Amino acid sequence: MAEFLDEAGSRSQHCIRTIHAEQNAIAQAARFGISLVGGTLYCKMEPCYVCARLIISVGITRVVAEKRYQRGEMTREMFQQAGIRLDVLNDEVERYSNKE
């Protein structure tokens, strides 16, 4: 499996061949001219760092996630600083066996 260095300088296999559902939803809104300013995004787990930056940049103000993400600390910090409300419905952490 291919690896790369992530933002923190650690080796990662984090979705290097795909885009996340959050990215796809934002791209589709842009494609059809739909503003997301003040919107709410619903997702399976807390967004990753890359998706969090995109969510902040398009003006989404609330994110509802079913579960926590095992590497979601940076996302939580960024959302707090940006004033984005993060509601996690289940405090269970989603883990992947092939990732840190």
Side-chain angles (χ1 to χ4, degrees), residues 2 6 13 15 32 37-38 42 51 57 62 64-66 68 87:
D6 66 14
Q13 297 173 349
C15 300
F32 293 102
V37 173
Y42 294 85
C51 288
S57 73
R62 181 177 177 222
V64 179
E66 181 182 351
R68 297 230 174 258
D87 295 317

Side-chain angles (χ1 to χ4, degrees), residues 61-98:
T61 57
R62 181 177 177 222
V63 174
V64 179
E66 181 182 351
K67 297 179 181 177
R68 297 230 174 258
Y69 172 45
Q70 68 184 13
R71 295 181 70 189
E73 299 84 19
M74 285 177 60
T75 293
R76 289 189 289 274
E77 290 173 18
M78 288 172 42
F79 281 177
Q80 184 177 20
Q81 291 174 5
I84 294 176
R85 179 176 162 185
L86 175 62
D87 295 317
V88 180
L89 304 177
N90 180 342
D91 207 35
E92 179 183 344
V93 177
E94 186 75 26
R95 297 197 180 274
Y96 295 97
S97 59
N98 64 340

Side-chain angles (χ1 to χ4, degrees), residues 15-28 51 54:
C15 300
I16 59 175
R17 293 176 294 221
T18 62
I19 66 169
H20 293 179
E22 299 92 335
Q23 295 166 344
N24 187 48
I26 291 168
Q28 290 298 312
C51 288
L54 189 56

